[in-house]
Amino acid sequence: MLFNKDLLGDEVVDVTWTATQKQRLSELNADETLYDCVFPDTAAREKHFKQLERELVKKNKEQLMALKNTSLRPLLCQLESKLVDRLTKEGFVQVVTPILLSKGMLNKMTITSEHPLVKQVFWVDKDKCLRPMLAPNLYHLLKDLRRLWGKPVKIFEVGPCFRKESQGAYHLNEFTMLNLVELNDFDGQQEDRLRELAAIVMDAVGIRDYKLVKDECHVYGNTIDVISGELELGSGAYGPHELDSSWGIIDPWVGIGFGLERLVVTVKGHKNIHRAGRSLSYLDGARLNI
Ligand code: ATP
Ligand code: MG
């Protein structure tokens, strides 16, 4: 409630949405500017709410019909296909690795008991967890493929990853990671290659408004993040790196990981990532409970 003084100096109360109404508007993906509406009285508010809800429900239904009749696949799946097409054209080989990860593999990433990321790990039993990232498996493959294929080794995986997150608007407990890795001679130009790879991914999904920002992370130290607006879409790193020796890697490499749901959020302008994630409440960004 907002309090104003009217011209006579008496206190008047502005009528705004109730918490339940706001919640409903958010579920129906109402534009944020509509949240701040002020009404002369509750009757006006109720009338306006009914009308707005009707319009938003109609829009949601239209989105679900478009999925049924036209696109047939959620944008997340479409982006995944576009990325697979594009990366294979660029000579990257798709790999599919286990979702269950051993404690030993996590430890080799230096994610041991003192590490902050360890609190985010879903343990299946005392030696196995749901992978929080793709990097350990890709690191493991790099060594064998380097031996069998020689240089370059260019691989990528798209698949589920799991992290316990204190739920925010841009974190999911289960999300879809795309991770690409290239082991090659870069003549010391790893950062440039990382920029090129980020550009390839952004171009494939049609995101033009992004920037690269140097950052630090717990696992790799220095990273180069891909940011759109305020949101981190991906994080890149490169070697030679101190982790390499544990994995038997001696060649230079670059790698970059993206969250596919965050790409969807950016393409669609969603204000909440749950709309884009695995869900029983949303389908392709549209609310089912309408
Ligand atoms: P953040 O700082 O936003 O929590 P992060 O730096 O921990 O992300 P990375 O480990 O760099 O994440 O993972 C690579 C990418 O995976 C991120 O840039 C992001 O797009 C995506 N990602 C990571 N965690 C999540 C999550 N919980 N839900 C959705 N996407 C995620
Ligand atoms: Mg990151």
Side-chain angles (χ1 to χ4, degrees):
M1 292 280 196
L2 304 172
F3 294 89
N4 280 346
K5 296 263 179 192
D6 71 7
L7 292 174
L8 301 169
D10 294 333
E11 210 149 291
V12 292
V13 177
D14 281 341
V15 179
T16 57
W17 298 124
T18 65
T20 319
Q21 286 173 331
K22 261 196 179 164
Q23 165 74 17
R24 183 72 177 143
L25 292 179
S26 152
E27 283 172 8
L28 292 171
N29 213 16
D31 197 273
E32 255 167 19
T33 54
L34 293 169
Y35 290 14
D36 298 327
C37 288
V38 178
F39 306 94
D41 52 49
T42 52
R45 178 184 68 194
E46 297 313 303
K47 187 170 167 228
H48 193 71
F49 179 76
K50 279 214 171 71
Q51 188 189 341
L52 192 54
E53 192 186 29
R54 247 195 322 273
E55 286 165 16
L56 292 168
V57 165
K58 184 164 170 267
K59 206 167 138 206
N60 255 262
K61 283 188 178 156
E62 282 166 4
Q63 282 169 8
L64 290 168
M65 288 315 282
L67 176 69
K68 175 176 179 280
N69 297 328
T70 317
S71 63
L72 305 173
R73 299 183 71 212
L75 183 63
L76 186 90
C77 303
Q78 293 180 43
L79 291 190
E80 180 174 340
S81 296
K82 282 185 186 171
L83 287 162
V84 170
D85 278 358
R86 182 64 189 272
L87 290 170
T88 49
K89 282 203 182 83
E90 298 282 339
F92 283 83
V93 176
Q94 186 168 13
V95 299
V96 182
T97 70
I99 289 171
L100 291 176
L101 189 72
S102 71
K103 192 177 194 172
M105 294 277 274
L106 259 197
N107 290 348
K108 273 173 90 170
M109 291 300 290
T110 68
I111 304 173
T112 47
S113 52
E114 304 79 44
H115 198 284
L117 258 185
V118 93
K119 293 194 196 73
Q120 295 187 264
V121 173
F122 284 100
W123 291 99
V124 174
D125 63 27
K126 67 181 182 16
D127 296 318
K128 263 191 259 76
C129 65
L130 298 174
R131 62 186 183 189
M133 54 174 66
L134 301 175
N137 291 348
L138 298 185
Y139 244 138
H140 184 92
L141 288 184
L142 271 190
K143 184 184 174 203
D144 279 338
L145 295 175
R146 164 72 177 92
R147 177 171 53 80
L148 296 163
W149 292 349
K151 275 187 280 186
V153 179
K154 295 161 73 171
I155 56 175
F156 74 98
E157 176 159 8
V158 193
C161 286
F162 304 81
R163 293 182 193 180
K164 287 182 192 166
E165 304 277 2
S166 40
Q167 301 289 320
Y170 297 106
H171 288 91
L172 294 163
N173 282 333
E174 43 184 312
F175 61 100
T176 317
M177 182 91 90
L178 161 72
N179 203 155
L180 42 149
V181 187
E182 176 171 342
L183 181 148
N184 212 339
D185 293 324
F186 297 103
D187 298 324
Q189 306 300 304
Q190 284 91 322
E191 273 192 34
D192 289 347
R193 183 59 176 152
L194 215 43
R195 282 169 205 282
E196 275 172 22
L197 294 179
I200 287 168
V201 169
M202 290 294 100
D203 182 57
V205 298
I207 297 175
R208 267 167 278 284
D209 179 22
Y210 70 93
K211 57 184 188 239
L212 298 174
V213 178
K214 290 195 182 183
D215 196 6
E216 278 189 12
C217 92
H218 294 299
V219 177
Y220 295 107
N222 292 328
T223 60
I224 294 184
D225 288 348
V226 182
I227 310 279
S228 183
E230 300 284 295
L231 188 61
E232 179 189 311
L233 302 182
S235 271
Y238 55 88
H241 190 280
E242 60 184 27
L243 283 177
D244 295 355
S245 58
S246 321
W247 300 92
I249 302 294
I250 47 170
D251 300 285
W253 58 271
V254 307
I256 188 161
F258 292 88
L260 257 57
E261 290 80 4
R262 290 204 187 166
L263 299 180
V264 171
V265 159
T266 304
V267 170
K268 289 268 206 165
H270 291 324
K271 288 166 285 293
N272 192 310
I273 197 168
H274 291 271
R275 214 168 264 282
R278 290 172 182 267
S279 177
L280 298 176
S281 306
Y282 296 100
L283 195 53
D284 195 24
R287 181 87 186 168
L288 293 171
N289 172 20
I290 47 177

